[in-house]
Amino acid sequence: MPRRANTQTQQEAVQENAAVQANTGADMQMEAAITKTQPEKGVLALADVKIGDFMTIRNVRIKEDDYGLTVAMPKTKAGANEQYKDAVFFADRGIKERFDQTVQKAYETFMHQQTDLDEETEEAEELEQEESGMNMGM
């Protein structure tokens, strides 16, 4: 009988631990900042991602492939065969998906701001040309 009670206690502990982990992931704040655009062939941008108040992952790569924007973690050479492996990985798929969405949204926002900035610059140049044309005609 004690063994069964012990098993039940272990199951409750596992469920409680899973609930704590799920809550931690849901409450975790993530902020991404685009640090560089087109740093190398095939990479659209690099981002730094701050997770909560305790960690920042640098050099997260944003690429575009057949499926759309893809987020790739920083890699390091590992082992004697010198293969590249992710330097950071998420054990929880849901948190990884949130991470990817945060980075993709930051990239899209950055590109939208760049487009707006380019349009404003073009408008200012056109206005300047019109003004200089009017001054020449006088």
Side-chain angles (χ1 to χ4, degrees):
M1 281 283 193
R3 185 168 201 152
R4 177 173 249 196
N6 189 23
T7 302
Q8 188 172 6
T9 304
Q10 288 175 346
Q11 289 174 344
E12 289 172 358
V14 168
Q15 289 173 349
E16 185 177 315
N17 187 28
V20 168
Q21 287 178 353
N23 287 337
T24 302
D27 297 339
M28 193 178 316
Q29 294 290 328
M30 293 187 195
E31 298 175 29
I34 303 303
T35 57
K36 197 178 225 184
T37 55
Q38 299 177 337
E40 58 190 73
K41 185 176 179 178
V43 178
L44 298 174
L46 294 177
D48 289 350
V49 184
K50 182 179 177 187
I51 300 176
D53 290 332
F54 60 90
M55 182 168 129
T56 299
I57 301 173
R58 297 188 185 278
N59 298 323
V60 175
R61 293 180 319 283
I62 303 161
K63 299 179 175 186
E64 188 161 16
D65 58 18
D66 295 340
Y67 303 104
L69 292 180
T70 302
V71 176
M73 301 304 281
K75 296 186 179 296
T76 58
K77 283 186 180 180
N81 57 8
E82 295 191 12
Q83 289 183 333
Y84 284 95
K85 296 194 178 215
D86 286 349
V88 178
F89 65 93
F90 293 94
D92 183 277
R93 178 180 226 123
I95 294 175
K96 172 64 168 132
E97 289 172 0
R98 244 183 83 212
F99 180 88
D100 289 355
Q101 290 171 355
T102 301
V103 173
Q104 290 169 349
K105 185 176 180 183
Y107 177 73
E108 289 167 356
T109 301
F110 178 83
M111 292 309 294
H112 183 70
Q113 289 173 348
Q114 291 294 79
T115 302
D116 289 348
L117 190 66
D118 290 345
E119 288 174 0
E120 289 176 10
T121 303
E122 287 176 15
E123 289 173 4
E125 288 174 356
E126 289 174 5
L127 186 61
E128 190 176 300
Q129 287 176 356
E130 287 176 10
E131 289 176 357
S132 66
M134 286 183 190
N135 290 338
M136 292 178 112
M138 293 182 131

